[in-house]
Amino acid sequence: MNNIKIQHMTQLSEYKKQLRKAPQLRNLFLELTLRCNENCVHCGSRCGDVFTEELPAQVYYQFLDKIRSDFDGRLPMLCITGGEPLLRCDFFDIMSYAHKLGFRWGMTSNGTLIDEKTAERLYSCGMRTISVSIDGTETVHDKFRRTKDGYAAAMRGIDALTAHGGFNHVQITTVIHKQNIGQLDELYNIMLEKDIDSWRVLNIEPIGRAEDNHELLLDADDYCRMFDFIRSKRREGMPVIYGCSHYLGLEYEREVRDWYFLCNAGVYTASVMSDGDIGACLDIERRAETIQGNILKDDFTEVWNNKFEYFRSEPGAKSEKCSRCESLSFCGGGAYHSWDYDRCEQKVCFKDILFR
């Protein structure tokens, strides 16, 4: 099995070299707002603590028209996020316009504002996929998200979505942290009771507000427990997956998700932030070298084609520490969202935890 994995990852390593020369825009994230009705202790965007003016709907219309023209025949998937996107009063106007232009789109939401009527409106304006966050059993979830009755509201939203029956994929995403690592089996039983299409399990990352709450971060034993859990449930046929976040070594690669590690930032994925800034993955630290332009003054397609230099090489290529690692050709230095841009090294590395 390891020989097959090595062969696959060697092929992927060669493919990545070509991809960085000729990137393919497959996913375009639109951060419609940084407003949120929750105040999560791990929020990568620090929603609620930061404020930016939101782009008017007309700016999105003009932007989507341009993307429709420039990427005709190969439109990227729109991934709508926030904050909580549904807090925008013109949300359905913007997304109906995108649907009319032929864009496929999905959304990340906390689910608390979704009822049967909202689910129908989401379907009518073209949404076909959604991921809703459940970050523990009721007490833990509400504490983690600092939202009274947030768990109950999110579950009602999930039930409204699955009862509708028209969506292609309804997913629950769970961030695993110190307060819910012991609830994996209980959460699994909860997921079995829901008519969802997949359960996405992630580890808390040392980004955003989580950097202020280090007591929530997982240790080596927690990581092993989480990955062993995901692998065992997948072998039982449960559609549970780990995200695209990190290289996991030979034992776990291809075991806890459907394919091998590849950081999509700047090669498959770009983002427009709530103030119009252009970047790669929205979880990436926002600083001079990671912001590529702004749609209020720059042509997005030109930026995508001719900038993003920082992301067109793997982060490990910039790191003396990574350059000495025998896994560099497969790992590439890991994910850009957890990269330490000042120390030029990876914040989350599973070497010596999951593999040696």
Side-chain angles (χ1 to χ4, degrees), residues 130-141:
I130 186 169
S131 185
V132 177
S133 296
I134 295 293
D135 292 320
T137 55
E138 186 166 10
T139 300
V140 172
H141 174 97

Side-chain angles (χ1 to χ4, degrees), residues 82-101:
E84 173 49 54
L86 288 171
L87 286 174
R88 283 195 65 130
C89 62
D90 54 4
F91 172 86
F92 288 101
D93 296 329
I94 295 170
M95 299 321 303
S96 293
Y97 192 82
H99 181 45
K100 183 179 70 173
L101 292 179

Side-chain angles (χ1 to χ4, degrees), residues 165-182:
F167 300 104
N168 295 342
H169 201 102
V170 177
Q171 180 184 79
I172 291 178
T173 293
T174 299
V175 173
I176 300 299
H177 50 87
K178 270 292 187 183
Q179 294 176 352
N180 69 6
I181 184 69

Side-chain angles (χ1 to χ4, degrees), residues 5-7 9-10 12-13 16 247 250 261 314 326-333:
K5 289 182 179 181
I6 290 171
Q7 180 183 352
M9 288 192 290
T10 301
L12 179 59
S13 179
K16 286 189 290 185
Y247 175 68
L250 284 176
F261 169 70
E314 295 177 319
E326 60 273 18
S327 297
L328 180 61
S329 63
F330 297 155
C331 173

Side-chain angles (χ1 to χ4, degrees), residues 25-96:
L25 183 61
R26 296 185 180 183
N27 300 298
L28 177 55
F29 282 76
L30 300 182
E31 181 186 68
L32 295 186
T33 181
L34 283 176
R35 287 180 291 143
C36 193
N37 58 335
E38 297 192 321
N39 188 25
C40 306
V41 298
H42 71 306
C43 181
S45 301
R46 295 182 180 268
C47 294
D49 294 338
V50 295
F51 175 79
T52 61
E53 294 290 340
E54 294 173 1
L55 300 176
Q58 189 62 40
V59 171
Y60 284 110
Y61 300 157
Q62 294 170 355
F63 173 74
L64 292 170
D65 283 341
K66 184 68 161 53
I67 298 299
R68 177 68 180 82
S69 174
D70 291 351
F71 291 85
D72 186 32
R74 49 191 174 94
L75 290 181
M77 171 83 170
L78 299 182
C79 307
I80 309 304
T81 186
E84 173 49 54
L86 288 171
L87 286 174
R88 283 195 65 130
C89 62
D90 54 4
F91 172 86
F92 288 101
D93 296 329
I94 295 170
M95 299 321 303
S96 293

Side-chain angles (χ1 to χ4, degrees), residues 158-227:
I158 292 165
D159 290 341
L161 292 163
T162 55
H164 183 277
F167 300 104
N168 295 342
H169 201 102
V170 177
Q171 180 184 79
I172 291 178
T173 293
T174 299
V175 173
I176 300 299
H177 50 87
K178 270 292 187 183
Q179 294 176 352
N180 69 6
I181 184 69
Q183 298 183 329
L184 285 170
D185 289 319
E186 190 172 355
L187 286 168
Y188 173 71
N189 290 329
I190 291 172
M191 300 306 156
L192 286 178
E193 295 175 356
K194 297 295 176 182
D195 187 22
I196 58 174
D197 297 290
S198 66
W199 180 27
R200 187 166 176 251
V201 176
L202 308 172
N203 52 276
I204 189 171
E205 301 276 10
I207 60 175
R209 275 202 289 262
E211 288 196 289
D212 305 330
N213 295 280
H214 275 253
E215 73 281 359
L216 293 172
L217 300 181
L218 304 180
D219 60 33
D221 289 340
D222 295 329
Y223 282 124
C224 291
R225 180 177 183 179
M226 181 187 71
F227 287 118

